[in-house]
Amino acid sequence: MSGIVPYEGFPTRFACGNDDIADIAFALFNNSVITKEVVNECGLKPIGMVQVHHANGVATQPVYIVNISLPNKVEFYHVRVTEGTLKGCDVLVGMDIICAGDFAVTNKDGKTTFSYRYPSIERIDFVKQRLPGSPINKPFPVKKIGRNNPCQCGSGKKYKKCCGT
């Protein structure tokens, strides 16, 4: 069961859509982020403030100490998180947690898999694991678009009258 609880250990969880990974985002941010909704639901009290640099500029945000439980039952204790505005998720797992273990994104037969394990048990290097003599980058198959097919941009026009001109 994924969730977040205050550092003191109160058993409060945030809504996580039956452990659906879509409610927890993994991103290349230095530290993990939680929303105001999580702060309110868990009754968290800030331990301080931090200056945060993001796409919209700079902001001063509250910082909290929490325990985080991921959907795969990996738990982290005494994690420093920053309050922030997130779209489509309640928690953004940052590099502070990702770098503690092994994180991989793979796509086999059109199925993408996000995998995470803690603690790290081996070094994963896809470049070194490739077959000898195989190209590093295999050409990505491109589907030919017919001139009379609908345009892939979603305009509803034929390709030849839209992006194919």
Side-chain angles (χ1 to χ4, degrees):
M1 186 174 307
S2 60
I4 189 166
V5 296
Y7 169 69
E8 296 83 11
F10 296 103
T12 309
R13 298 186 307 118
F14 62 91
C16 197
N18 296 324
D19 295 345
D20 187 355
I21 196 67
D23 292 327
I24 298 178
F26 292 86
L28 301 178
F29 288 89
N30 290 337
N31 296 311
S32 297
V33 179
I34 59 175
T35 61
K36 182 72 171 172
E37 291 78 21
V38 172
V39 169
N40 292 338
E41 185 175 327
C42 294
L44 299 176
K45 303 290 183 227
I47 61 162
M49 302 293 280
V50 67
Q51 194 174 52
V52 178
H53 298 262
H54 50 78
N56 294 324
V58 180
T60 302
Q61 296 293 117
V63 176
Y64 306 90
I65 299 291
V66 299
N67 300 328
I68 296 179
S69 175
L70 300 176
N72 61 352
K73 309 236 186 303
V74 173
E75 296 180 343
F76 292 89
Y77 301 98
H78 314 274
V79 178
R80 181 183 168 112
V81 296
T82 305
E83 182 181 313
T85 303
L86 301 172
K87 288 189 173 189
C89 63
D90 297 311
V91 176
L92 181 91
V93 176
M95 293 305 292
D96 53 341
I97 291 177
I98 292 171
C99 287
D102 297 326
F103 179 70
V105 180
T106 56
N107 185 300
K108 177 80 170 129
D109 300 323
K111 181 174 172 138
T112 302
T113 302
F114 293 82
S115 300
Y116 182 79
R117 66 180 170 210
Y118 175 84
S120 179
I121 59 172
E122 68 178 300
R123 183 181 171 118
I124 301 170
D125 188 336
F126 294 120
V127 174
K128 288 184 179 179
Q129 290 177 0
R130 71 184 175 89
L131 297 173
S134 66
I136 291 177
N137 290 322
K138 196 175 182 181
F140 188 76
V142 178
K143 183 180 174 188
K144 177 97 168 114
I145 305 169
R147 293 178 37 78
N148 290 317
N149 289 3
C151 190
Q152 291 183 331
C153 75
S155 67
K157 297 179 183 177
K158 288 185 178 184
Y159 179 71
K160 67 182 178 185
K161 300 272 186 183
C162 191
C163 296
T165 58

